[in-house]
């Protein structure tokens, strides 16, 4: 450790003001603080500070995404092997999944961090850790076969338009990862919807078993199928939905993997339990309402199945809980979460053109979160005002 | 009438070095200092030049904009040095003790203690007045405004704070005299807030004259801000006073003897102190010699006059602050830590459950002054609310201050807070934002706007 520190101290002057590589000082700083927690001490206010910082917060979220990612790698391979009718052996499945998924991660991080570094440099601030999470979320919410240049474009769009134009991490209005997905959804709909994109290898169509259908359960529900079937026409059990061996975006199919992530976030106190809980409640309420007044097959999909298919669970745990774009007050979080769950199922069922209601519901509520907070705070303000008027009278 | 108010939000930060309940010795140094920086919103003007003699209780400086408020010397001696900082800002006036100069003595008759105007005059002339702090703004009380109420917290819940039951126990007479006198300065009530199960309440005579409340729960239960907010919040246009319980003996002592003699029992605490205990000393006392024999090491430590959350850094000029009843010494944290953000962290003090140290809830920590990360924009929400029991939205109020939105600040409750009320928020902040400084900026802005 001493050795490493000495090395860093030795090259540090080159990156400081007047040094040869001053133009790279933010990048250097980023790497230095990655290696070492800085030796900065408190100068004002409280002399001791909590040991937590943004890096640790973000890295725990990335850690919570790992189960979903690992399962996503497996499932990408598995779906491909089912579709092509090959023997389902573990290691070939994993290696196929890795070949498909790793490039997505590399592109997402490469493009996003590159832009982050550039902005940090120009604006002369430290590099924000926010993208560590965004960069992991983006590959998990796209189909495995998405062309890498599209992903790069979407990531750039999300970071620049979704975040940096507002002032960087902490200032953005919309969740950047969902901004990337929305960009892809509207710019390249043929790569983000339909029956072929969700199973790796179907777009180029080679070696696919005859009669195999890659429709997701969500798509099946929207088209009014009476029961969920897999690509070969066999019935999909609830256990399959929980485990996640169904077609879909890379990281969003496995409810169990997502719940492990949720547990990590809740134990660490980083994901808001208020938002997760109320999103779930909103989804259940809408699901039950639709079931009660069901007039078509889409509305008849059982409320608990609604929670297991599509991006509902993933959005609930990892997207809705984004503290920057969500409601900030505790009361507001309940309202915000509830409306996300409620609207997600509503959009999904009543507007089959946009089966992925979760994404739209969260983006919509991102926009309304400040309004919700405003209303909550207004209550507090009114109370204070009333108190002040009544004390002036007495 | 007595009731216990339970504080739920907040946290007791358990750190090493709590003072044992013994008063070890008197500490009577040669040098003393008065720090204008202990008082906010003050423009100090000197009454004396360097080298001039000064009596105990004689005015050293006064407030330029409220010249009736004077700050007096704690001892008789000679003004040895005036320390100035940037832009000639007066930081410290150092007084060298010598008994030749004498004392200022007041003849206080019993009649004087029955008339509010006479008491006010006496307090202003004698230098007792600055012990009366007002809210809003957390400044020395404005003599022209009669306060709605006076609030006195009879315990301190801050980390390693001295035990008031122990240090006030021997000052029964002075405390009662001070309380009786303060009661005359308001048309409202004097609120005394005790810790639940505190025996200090037995010291109080004529309890029916005061409003007595009990508090339980974690820090900041002992702060005036919390107590006022729970008992009778401050509204726009109202002024209340707060007095530190540990200053009551000084006020009472003055009233009974006519001499300003600011003796105080202080706790010497913190992980770098050999034997944490109590010492009797005088406001403004020089601690540099005193600390030499009391610390485990004098290298790379931070000496704080006050507690770790709100105290002032006196590492380089070691004098006890005007209001402080404790000294805390902790290690400096000016070291790099390899992958510190990723390690399990068995020794990390944190409110979050992201460190392994959470597995040992009874563990006491010896935190250093490291910031533990870089300063960032706000990302995490809800953290401040967890440690702030007041009925307001701390993070949004801070944002209103940053935006300099006067109306919003007022609506969201800036009149009810001073820096210390948000100190725990600052401690907890993931983004390492200097919350207390922002609060002071906001208060200064309000003072400017409202005058």
């Amino acid at each position: 450790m001493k050795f490493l520190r000495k090395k860093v101290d030795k090259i540090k002057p080159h990156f400081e003001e007047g040094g040869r590589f001053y133009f790279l000082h933010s990048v250097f700083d980023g790497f230095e603080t990655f290696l070492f927690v800085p030796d900065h001490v408190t100068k004002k206010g409280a002399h001791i500070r909590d040991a937590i910082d943004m890096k640790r917060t973000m890295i725990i979220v990335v850690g919570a995404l790992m189960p979903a990612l690992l399962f996503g790698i497996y499932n990408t391979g598995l779906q491909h092997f089912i579709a092509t009718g090959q023997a389902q052996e573990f290691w070939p499945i994993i290696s196929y999944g890795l070949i498909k998924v790793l490039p997505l991660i590399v592109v997402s991080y490469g493009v996003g961090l590159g832009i982050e570094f550039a902005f940090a440099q120009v604006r002369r601030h430290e590099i924000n850790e926010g993208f560590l999470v965004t960069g992991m979320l983006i590959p998990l919410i796209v189909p495995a076969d998405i062309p890498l240049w599209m992903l790069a474009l979407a990531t750039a769009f999300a970071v620049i338009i979704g975040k940096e134009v507002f002032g960087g991490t902490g200032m953005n209005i919309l969740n950047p990862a969902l901004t990337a997905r929305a960009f892809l959804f509207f710019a390249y709909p043929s790569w983000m919807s339909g029956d072929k994109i969700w199973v790796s290898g179907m777009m180029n169509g080679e070696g696919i078993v005859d009669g195999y259908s890659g429709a997701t359960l969500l798509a099946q529900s929207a088209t009014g199928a009476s029961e969920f079937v897999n690509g070969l026409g066999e019935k999909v059990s609830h256990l399959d939905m929980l485990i996640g061996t169904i077609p879909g975006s890379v990281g969003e199919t496995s409810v169990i993997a997502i719940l492990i992530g949720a547990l990590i976030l809740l134990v660490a106190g980083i994901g808001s339990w208020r938002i997760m809980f109320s999103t779930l409640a909103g989804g259940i309420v809408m699901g039950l309402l639709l079931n009660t007044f069901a007039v078509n097959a889409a509305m008849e999909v059982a409320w608990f199945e609604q929670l297991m298919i599509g991006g509902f669970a993933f959005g609930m745990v990892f997207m809705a809980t984004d503290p920057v774009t969500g409601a900030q007050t505790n009361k507001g979080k309940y309202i915000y979460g509830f409306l996300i769950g409620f609207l997600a199922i509503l959009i999904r069922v009543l507007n089959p053109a946009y089966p992925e209601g979760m994404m739209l519901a969260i983006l919509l509520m991102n926009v309304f979160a400040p309004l919700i907070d405003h209303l909550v705070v207004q209550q507090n303000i009114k109370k204070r005002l009333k108190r002040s008027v009544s004390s002036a009278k007495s | 009438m007595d009731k216990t108010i339970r504080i739920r939000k907040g946290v007791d930060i358990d750190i090493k070095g709590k003072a044992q309940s013994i008063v070890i010795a008197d500490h009577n140094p040669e040098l003393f200092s008065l720090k204008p920086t202990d008082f906010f919103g003050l423009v100090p003007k000197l009454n004396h030049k360097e080298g001039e003699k000064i009596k105990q209780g004689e005015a050293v400086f006064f407030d330029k904009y409220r010249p009736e408020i004077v700050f007096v010397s704690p001892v008789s001696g000679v003004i040895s040095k005036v320390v100035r900082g940037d832009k000639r800002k007066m930081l410290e006036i150092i007084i060298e003790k010598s008994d030749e100069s004498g004392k200022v003595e007041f003849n206080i008759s019993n009649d004087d203690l029955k008339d509010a105007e006479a008491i006010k005059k006496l307090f202003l002339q004698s230098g007792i007045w600055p012990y009366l702090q007002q809210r809003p703004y957390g400044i020395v009380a404005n003599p022209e405004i009669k306060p709605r109420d006076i609030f006195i917290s009879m315990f301190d819940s801050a980390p390693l704070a001295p035990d008031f039951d122990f240090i006030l126990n021997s000052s029964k007479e002075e405390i009662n005299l001070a309380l009786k006198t303060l009661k005359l300065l308001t048309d409202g009530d004097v609120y005394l807030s005790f810790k639940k199960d505190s025996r200090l309440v037995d010291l109080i005579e004529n309890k029916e004259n005061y409003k007595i409340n009990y508090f339980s729960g974690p820090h900041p239960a002992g702060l005036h801000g919390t107590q006022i907010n729970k008992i009778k919040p401050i509204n726009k246009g109202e002024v209340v006073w707060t007095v530190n319980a540990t200053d009551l003996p000084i006020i009472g002592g003055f009233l009974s003897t006519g001499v300003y003699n600011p003796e105080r029992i202080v706790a010497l605490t913190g992980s770098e102190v050999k034997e944490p205990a109590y010492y009797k000393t005088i406001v403004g006392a020089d601690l540099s010699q005193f600390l030499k024999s009391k610390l485990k090491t004098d290298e790379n430590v931070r000496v704080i006059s006050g507690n770790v959350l709100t105290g002032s850094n006196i590492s380089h000029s070691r004098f006890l602050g005007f209001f402080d009843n404790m000294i805390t010494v902790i290690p400096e944290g000016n070291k790099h830590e390899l992958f510190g953000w990723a390690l399990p962290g068995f020794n990390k003090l944190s409110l979050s459950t992201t460190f392994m140290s959470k597995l040992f809830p009874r563990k006491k920590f010896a935190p250093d002054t490291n910031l533990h990360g870089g300063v960032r924009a706000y990302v995490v929400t809800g953290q401040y609310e967890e440690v702030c029991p007041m009925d307001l939205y701390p993070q949004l109020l801070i944002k209103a201050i940053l935006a300099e939105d006067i109306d919003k600040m007022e609506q969201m409750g800036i009149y009810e807070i001073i820096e210390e009320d948000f100190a725990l928020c600052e401690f907890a902040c993931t983004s390492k934002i200097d919350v207390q400084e922002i609060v002071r900026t906001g208060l200064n802005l309000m003072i400017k706007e409202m005058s």
Side-chain angles (χ1 to χ4, degrees):
Chain A
M1 176 192 160
K2 281 246 169 71
F3 167 77
L4 193 59
R5 184 65 237 168
K6 266 185 200 156
K7 278 270 175 213
V8 173
D9 281 337
K10 201 171 154 196
I11 57 170
K12 196 170 181 175
H14 295 302
F15 294 93
E16 280 164 354
E17 195 126 29
R20 245 186 316 166
F21 299 110
Y22 178 60
F23 65 101
L24 286 174
H25 70 96
S26 279
V27 179
F28 176 78
D29 182 78
F31 283 110
E32 192 197 353
T33 56
F34 176 80
L35 285 172
F36 294 98
V37 172
D39 60 348
H40 301 162
V41 294
T42 53
K43 293 220 166 62
K44 300 164 188 157
H47 297 274
I48 56 170
R49 302 295 174 96
D50 199 307
I52 192 157
D53 71 341
M54 204 57 77
K55 279 197 180 59
R56 195 169 183 94
T57 307
M58 293 301 177
I59 218 72
I60 283 180
V61 183
V62 173
L65 283 164
M66 283 304 117
L69 172 70
L70 295 178
F71 185 84
I73 290 171
Y74 170 76
N75 193 45
T76 301
L78 179 73
Q79 294 305 320
H80 173 76
F81 278 41
I82 292 175
T84 51
Q86 299 178 56
Q88 293 155 27
E89 282 167 36
F90 185 74
W91 290 112
I93 287 177
I94 294 290
S95 54
Y96 182 88
L98 281 173
I99 290 167
K100 278 289 169 189
V101 176
L102 280 187
L104 299 180
I105 298 174
V106 170
V107 167
S108 160
Y109 271 130
V111 172
L113 286 178
I115 296 171
E116 285 270 340
F117 278 33
F119 269 93
Q121 205 68 56
V122 171
R123 291 199 176 135
R124 294 167 175 252
H125 60 60
E126 287 186 37
I127 289 162
N128 285 315
E129 292 82 2
F131 192 78
L132 291 180
V133 172
T134 310
M136 184 54 72
L137 283 172
I138 291 175
L140 294 183
I141 54 173
V142 295
D145 270 0
I146 190 97
L148 294 177
W149 66 268
M150 279 185 200
L151 188 73
L153 202 60
T155 306
F157 179 85
V159 174
I160 297 172
I161 305 294
K163 194 158 82 171
E164 291 300 337
V165 293
F166 295 104
T169 302
M171 315 289 182
N172 46 312
I173 294 169
L174 300 176
N175 182 312
L178 280 179
T179 309
R181 195 181 197 279
F183 175 82
L184 288 173
F185 187 80
F186 292 109
Y188 307 103
S190 60
W191 285 92
M192 286 298 287
S193 51
D195 288 352
K196 289 192 167 165
I197 183 67
W198 304 106
V199 173
S200 180
M202 274 188 88
M203 278 307 250
N204 61 18
E206 281 169 28
I208 301 296
V209 177
D210 279 346
Y212 183 85
S213 157
T216 62
L217 304 192
L218 206 54
Q220 294 175 29
S221 81
T223 50
S226 57
E227 68 174 2
F228 293 127
V229 291
N230 68 14
L232 304 169
E234 297 157 353
K235 190 174 182 299
V236 176
S237 71
H238 291 148
L239 189 65
D240 293 336
M241 296 182 199
L242 274 181
I243 296 172
T245 48
I246 50 176
S249 298
V250 174
E252 66 177 27
T253 59
S254 171
V255 177
I256 289 175
I258 291 164
L259 288 183
I260 294 171
L263 195 69
I264 295 173
L265 291 183
L266 290 176
V267 168
I270 286 171
S272 164
W273 61 268
R274 291 183 177 86
I275 292 178
M276 285 191 210
F277 169 78
S278 57
T279 304
L280 188 64
I284 292 174
V285 168
M286 191 70 223
L288 284 171
L289 273 178
L290 290 172
N291 284 170
T292 313
F293 301 102
V295 291
N296 60 31
M299 289 170 77
E300 272 165 11
V301 173
W303 59 272
F304 57 89
E305 288 176 342
Q306 289 283 18
L307 305 181
M308 293 192 288
I309 63 175
F312 189 88
F314 193 86
M316 173 178 89
V317 173
F318 296 111
M319 302 290 201
T321 52
D322 173 7
V324 174
T325 54
Q328 301 188 12
T329 55
N330 285 345
K331 254 188 227 170
K333 281 175 183 166
Y334 287 120
I335 302 168
Y336 167 82
F338 184 86
L339 288 175
I340 286 179
F342 194 81
L343 290 174
I345 305 294
L346 186 74
I347 296 171
R348 182 189 273 186
V349 174
L350 297 190
N351 189 347
Y354 297 117
E356 199 32 284
M358 197 59 184
M359 170 183 86
L360 294 170
I362 295 174
L363 285 173
L364 187 68
M365 292 318 294
N366 280 171
V367 175
F368 281 105
L371 180 66
I372 296 172
D373 279 333
H374 175 79
L375 296 175
V376 172
V377 171
Q378 214 58 37
Q379 271 188 336
N380 183 270
I381 290 174
K382 270 192 196 135
K383 197 157 112 191
R384 187 165 288 112
L385 211 61
K386 206 170 142 193
R387 194 177 78 198
S388 137
V389 169
S390 70
S391 93
K393 272 185 196 155
S394 62
Chain B
M1 190 67 226
D2 295 358
K3 58 171 181 181
T4 303
I5 297 167
R6 195 169 154 206
I7 300 298
R8 285 161 206 280
K9 290 178 175 177
V11 63
D12 283 325
I13 300 173
D14 221 1
I15 60 184
K16 281 183 189 162
K18 192 161 182 63
Q20 278 185 299
S21 295
I22 34 165
V23 178
I24 288 192
D26 287 10
H27 169 58
N28 263 321
E30 292 303 304
L31 294 179
F32 291 85
S33 95
L34 264 182
K35 295 179 236 186
T37 48
D38 282 344
F39 310 93
F40 292 104
L42 171 78
V43 181
K45 282 272 161 195
L46 280 175
N47 291 55
H48 292 272
K49 291 201 186 79
E50 276 181 27
E52 286 184 0
K53 281 187 179 175
I54 192 153
K55 292 177 184 168
Q56 178 175 345
E58 192 182 349
V60 178
F61 63 90
F62 60 94
D63 184 352
K64 184 180 173 188
Y65 297 108
R66 299 186 291 180
E68 67 275 24
I69 300 177
V70 298
F71 301 81
V72 304
S73 172
V75 290
S76 75
V78 177
I79 297 190
S80 72
K81 201 175 161 196
V82 177
V83 183
R84 290 177 189 272
D86 294 346
K87 298 184 191 163
R88 287 184 50 75
K89 187 183 171 191
M90 207 187 295
L91 300 177
E92 272 183 305
I93 297 115
I94 295 174
I95 299 159
E96 199 178 329
K97 190 172 147 188
S98 73
D99 291 332
E100 298 154 24
S101 310
K103 301 170 179 176
V104 178
E105 286 183 54
F106 289 83
N107 273 323
I108 305 170
S109 68
N110 276 341
D111 285 346
D112 286 341
L113 295 184
K114 286 179 183 137
D115 171 38
E117 278 308 305
I119 297 167
K120 206 163 96 178
K121 216 173 124 194
L122 202 55
F123 277 4
L124 283 167
Q125 288 172 346
S126 63
I128 288 289
W129 192 265
Y131 288 108
L132 312 177
Q133 292 278 304
Q134 81 159 58
R135 300 216 182 188
Y137 313 137
I139 54 176
V140 175
N142 183 347
E144 281 156 29
I145 301 173
K146 218 169 195 186
R148 188 197 75 190
D149 298 297
I150 298 175
F151 288 85
I152 302 171
S153 171
M154 302 302 280
F155 70 106
D156 190 347
S157 51
L160 299 177
D163 177 7
F164 285 12
D165 283 29
F166 174 67
I167 58 176
L168 294 179
N169 186 358
S170 54
S171 312
K172 180 173 178 181
E173 256 170 60
E174 288 87 353
I175 290 173
N176 280 298
L177 186 56
L179 289 177
K180 202 170 88 186
T181 314
L182 285 172
K183 176 83 173 85
L184 296 173
L185 293 179
T186 172
D187 293 333
D189 290 299
V190 174
Y191 288 86
L192 304 179
S193 302
F194 292 89
K195 188 165 63 187
K196 194 186 171 210
D197 305 326
S198 164
R199 301 217 311 278
L200 209 52
V201 70
D202 301 335
L203 247 56
I204 309 297
E205 293 161 354
N206 301 322
K207 292 193 186 67
E208 65 282 1
N209 287 344
Y210 314 111
K211 297 249 166 147
I212 291 179
N213 288 284
Y214 295 89
F215 280 81
S216 70
H219 188 60
L223 292 185
H224 286 123
T226 310
Q227 296 169 356
I228 298 170
N229 187 269
K230 295 294 165 195
I231 296 168
K232 195 175 176 190
I234 306 166
N235 297 306
K236 186 184 177 183
E238 292 178 342
V239 168
V240 305
W241 289 355
T242 63
V243 181
N244 291 347
T246 41
D247 296 334
L248 292 174
I250 297 175
I251 300 173
F254 166 74
L255 290 168
S256 69
T257 61
V259 176
Y260 174 68
N261 188 20
E263 279 186 345
R264 187 185 281 159
I265 297 175
V266 300
L268 177 60
T269 64
S271 60
E272 299 310 291
V273 177
K274 276 187 208 155
E275 286 168 5
Y278 293 88
Y279 295 85
K280 194 169 189 180
T281 187
I282 295 170
V283 168
D286 174 26
L287 305 166
S288 48
Q289 288 299 319
F290 167 71
L291 285 176
K292 270 189 184 147
S293 60
K294 306 284 186 287
L295 300 184
K296 287 176 188 163
T297 164
D298 206 3
E299 299 260 305
N300 214 19
V301 291
R302 179 167 300 189
V303 184
I304 301 160
S305 178
N307 66 55
V308 288
L309 292 176
T310 60
S312 31
N313 182 352
I314 56 164
S315 299
H316 300 295
S317 176
R318 297 177 171 178
F319 292 94
L320 183 66
F322 191 79
F323 296 103
D324 297 323
N325 48 32
M326 66 186 296
I327 303 144
T328 315
V329 188
I330 56 171
E332 282 284 3
N334 51 350
K335 55 180 189 287
H336 292 276
E337 192 189 5
L338 187 65
F339 292 122
W341 53 274
L343 295 173
F346 285 98
N347 275 316
K348 293 284 175 68
L349 171 62
S350 176
L351 304 184
S352 75
T353 29
T354 60
F355 294 92
M356 289 308 229
S357 55
K358 269 283 139 117
L359 297 174
F360 310 97
R362 285 167 178 278
K363 184 168 179 160
K364 281 192 194 279
F365 295 91
D368 59 30
T369 61
N370 194 292
L371 199 55
H372 300 297
V375 176
R376 296 288 182 270
Y378 276 123
V379 169
V380 179
T381 61
Q383 245 178 344
Y384 290 11
E385 282 75 4
E386 291 297 315
V387 293
C388 179
M390 297 170 88
D391 183 20
L392 41 74
Y393 289 97
Q395 197 165 352
L396 292 167
L397 176 53
I398 293 292
K399 285 185 178 176
I401 297 174
L402 289 173
E404 300 192 352
D405 186 339
I406 304 280
D407 288 339
K408 245 316 172 18
M409 282 152 68
E410 190 177 294
Q411 290 168 352
M412 298 188 66
I414 189 143
Y415 296 128
E416 300 174 39
I417 60 159
I418 64 171
E419 297 95 313
E420 62 176 18
D421 296 313
F422 281 10
L424 269 180
C425 302
E426 185 173 66
F427 169 75
C429 188
T430 301
S431 296
K432 310 294 173 193
I433 288 171
D434 287 319
V435 176
Q436 295 191 75
E437 192 192 29
I438 295 171
V439 170
R440 180 43 64 188
T441 313
L443 291 172
N444 284 339
L445 198 64
M446 292 310 287
I447 294 174
K448 227 193 233 164
E449 285 292 316
M450 304 311 276
S451 60

